[in-house]
Amino acid sequence: MSERTIFEKIVDGDIPARIVHETDTTLAFLDANPLAPGHTLVIPKEPYKRLRDTPPELTADVFEVVRELTPAIEDAVEADATNIGINDGPEAGQEVPHLHVHIVPRFKDDGGGPIHAVAGTAPNLDDDQLDAIAEEIQTTANI
Ligand code: AMP
């Protein structure tokens, strides 16, 4: 059996967390190293590593909680806006291998940047390359 993730230990009540919301399938708690007041993580209780591993119904549960909590968090900490994101895979910065959505409240003049700041150097893609990428995604998605 693989080692439990730190978030499973929170779900199991074995380590403490500042829980802000719980459903049968999800848990939301404050990030221990907040990027802003109210920085919250929303997780499925079951420890799927990535979005691609997570069953659709559970993904829907997680995003419904994100939808409900975001304005509540903004109001609670008097934030002006919010960034919502997932580090989906180690190369994207994921450290805890248990899917989690970051809800990061933002404040006017807080010195932060937009989500566009997360990637490396922007590629210079011409129209043909963009067309090919769009077609490839459509074909692969097949949905
Ligand atoms: P990521 O890099 O997306 O995997 O982010 C993991 C997040 O989990 C970081 O923002 C950490 O501060 C946070 N974190 C790690 N351990 C705990 C914990 N015990 N309770 C709450 N948040 C945690």
Side-chain angles (χ1 to χ4, degrees):
M1 213 170 78
S2 62
E3 172 88 3
R4 282 183 307 160
T5 67
I6 194 149
F7 294 165
E8 283 177 273
K9 292 177 187 169
I10 290 174
V11 170
D12 294 342
D14 291 337
I15 63 169
R18 292 187 171 86
I19 292 170
V20 300
H21 188 70
E22 181 169 11
T23 69
D24 287 348
T25 57
T26 69
L27 194 67
F29 49 90
L30 294 187
D31 194 295
N33 305 289
L35 296 173
H39 181 175
T40 296
L41 303 175
V42 182
I43 66 167
K45 287 181 175 174
E46 279 193 71
Y48 295 99
K49 275 190 192 147
R50 295 191 50 189
L51 205 48
R52 66 189 307 151
D53 310 317
T54 310
E57 319 72 48
L58 189 51
T59 311
D61 290 351
V62 168
F63 277 95
E64 176 56 12
V65 170
V66 171
R67 189 192 68 78
E68 287 175 346
L69 273 187
T70 297
I73 294 168
E74 276 189 14
D75 291 350
V77 301
E78 298 184 11
D80 300 302
T82 303
N83 287 116
I84 295 164
I86 300 174
N87 294 325
D88 194 22
E91 294 77 6
Q94 184 175 14
E95 289 179 359
V96 178
H98 182 149
L99 178 72
H100 49 285
V101 182
H102 291 262
I103 301 176
V104 183
R106 297 295 304 272
F107 300 83
K108 188 174 186 305
D109 300 327
D110 63 12
I115 215 149
H116 300 72
V118 298
T121 310
N124 197 5
L125 299 169
D126 63 27
D127 283 345
D128 287 347
Q129 290 169 309
L130 291 169
D131 288 345
I133 291 168
E135 198 179 313
E136 185 63 31
I137 293 171
Q138 282 174 22
T139 307
T140 311
N142 196 25
I143 45 180

